[in-house]
């Protein structure tokens, strides 16, 4: 795949988690944003910001502080930059009975304690950033 050309790839759960957390940290995103399991690989192309995560199974995670159920597909892709992930694929948040895909995640800059999730339908939800801290 051309998007992955020149990318750094880490294989397996331990190395994959380390890389995913390092990317979130580097780009100013909350460290608990991607509760991943059974990681096959994590990759990142610094020149374009393209990142991908492959995991053995889908993961559903409930963020307790905001009572929000989020589904992470076996393949998650997107473009990561300062305080933001754009063109995100593979992440859905439960809204009533629907699972709209999350297309963009943005953290306020300068930090104001808020994180914004935008669906492809243009719906934006805002939550306290600490709801996505590591261990949530």
């Amino acid at each position: 795949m051309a998007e992955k050309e020149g990318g750094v790839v880490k294989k397996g759960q331990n190395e994959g988690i380390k890389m995913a957390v390092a990317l979130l940290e580097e780009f100013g995103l909350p460290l608990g944003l991607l509760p991943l399991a059974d990681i096959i690989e994590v990759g990142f192309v610094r020149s374009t910001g393209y990142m991908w995560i492959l995991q053995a199974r889908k993961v559903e995670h409930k963020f307790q502080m905001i009572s929000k159920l989020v589904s992470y597909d076996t393949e998650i892709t997107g473009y990561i930059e300062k305080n933001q992930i754009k063109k995100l694929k593979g992440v859905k948040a439960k809204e009533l009975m629907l699972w709209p895909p999350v297309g963009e995640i943005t953290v306020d800059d300068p930090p104001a304690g808020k994180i914004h999730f935008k669906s492809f339908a243009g719906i934006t939800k805002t939550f306290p950033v600490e709801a996505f801290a590591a261990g949530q």
Side-chain angles (χ1 to χ4, degrees):
M1 194 181 275
E3 291 167 311
K4 294 182 177 182
E5 219 168 275
V8 175
V9 178
K10 298 290 182 190
K11 303 268 187 195
Q13 178 71 16
N14 291 342
E15 292 302 308
I17 282 282
K18 277 186 209 156
M19 183 167 172
V21 168
L23 286 172
L24 291 172
E25 195 167 38
E26 178 182 343
F27 291 99
L29 294 160
L31 302 186
L33 196 58
L34 299 170
L36 307 166
D38 296 336
I39 293 177
I40 298 166
E41 76 175 37
V42 174
F44 176 61
V45 181
R46 187 156 300 277
S47 60
T48 61
Y50 183 75
M51 60 133 204
W52 69 94
I53 298 164
L54 300 176
Q55 43 185 8
R57 60 184 169 86
K58 250 171 119 160
V59 174
E60 282 190 2
H61 180 82
K62 183 160 189 176
F63 289 96
Q64 297 298 338
M65 190 185 281
I66 55 171
S67 297
K68 186 62 65 187
L69 189 62
V70 180
S71 165
Y72 297 85
D73 236 328
T74 53
E75 184 173 7
I76 299 163
T77 63
Y79 291 86
I80 191 166
E81 55 190 61
K82 176 121 176 79
N83 298 324
Q84 198 167 45
I85 301 174
K86 289 181 171 175
K87 295 184 184 171
L88 183 63
K89 291 189 175 120
V91 178
K92 295 177 181 147
K94 190 161 190 191
E95 283 298 326
L96 304 169
M97 302 304 285
L98 302 171
W99 287 87
V102 177
E104 196 172 292
I105 300 172
T106 308
V107 175
D108 290 339
D109 187 21
K114 298 284 182 215
I115 184 166
H116 313 278
F117 295 84
K118 190 173 178 184
S119 76
F120 290 110
I123 299 160
T124 301
K125 294 275 183 187
T126 300
F127 299 105
V129 82
E130 65 264 22
F132 301 92
Q136 281 298 318

